[in-house]
Amino acid sequence: QVQLVESGGGLVQYGGSLRLSCAASGSIFSISTMGWYRQAPGNQRELVATVSRGGNTNYADSVKGRFTISRDNAKKLVYLQMNSLKPEDTAVYYCNAYTNFPMVVDAWGQGTQVTVSS
């Protein structure tokens, strides 16, 4: 199994930057696809970015060119560097770990609030 703890959220002004971190515990980290998702009030949780165990990345169109996801397998950390933040980026951001081998594991952190003021 894996446990995830996010940090780094906070209040930032329009155009500012934040870096979120996700610390993972458990043996499956290295074989998991790691991702960041977000949920704004009244909205469904949506994909922000994912990074595979091999380092392949995928981004939502709304954050391409502004956000960068990365992972450090040795330290079991996942990062989300967020630049040029906009008020519409305001949400609770969740870290996710997913793998389907040798078993399906779909783990979530508790979330960290990001608020972008205009």
Side-chain angles (χ1 to χ4, degrees):
Q1 294 294 331
V2 62
Q3 292 183 327
L4 306 171
V5 179
E6 303 99 333
S7 61
L11 174 64
V12 65
Q13 290 188 333
Y14 179 93
S17 297
L18 281 175
R19 189 176 81 157
L20 305 183
S21 298
C22 173
S25 62
S27 59
I28 71 164
F29 176 85
S30 63
I31 63 173
S32 299
T33 292
M34 301 300 299
W36 287 96
Y37 292 73
R38 66 187 181 187
Q39 187 168 17
N43 290 354
Q44 291 187 333
R45 192 172 297 188
E46 63 177 5
L47 169 72
V48 176
T50 62
V51 57
S52 71
R53 58 179 176 172
N56 293 321
T57 58
N58 178 53
Y59 295 93
D61 288 343
S62 59
V63 306
K64 282 181 181 176
R66 300 189 297 124
F67 291 10
T68 302
I69 189 171
S70 60
R71 65 190 293 168
D72 184 331
N73 287 336
K75 296 181 179 179
K76 296 186 178 180
L77 291 168
V78 181
Y79 303 103
L80 185 68
Q81 178 66 44
M82 306 185 294
N83 299 327
S84 302
L85 283 161
K86 306 174 183 180
E88 50 263 45
D89 295 316
T90 295
V92 178
Y93 283 70
Y94 296 91
C95 181
N96 173 262
Y98 177 82
T99 185
N100 59 7
F101 182 84
M103 67 188 78
V104 174
V105 176
D106 189 10
W108 295 89
Q110 82 288 351
T112 185
Q113 177 71 46
V114 171
T115 303
V116 184
S117 65
S118 56

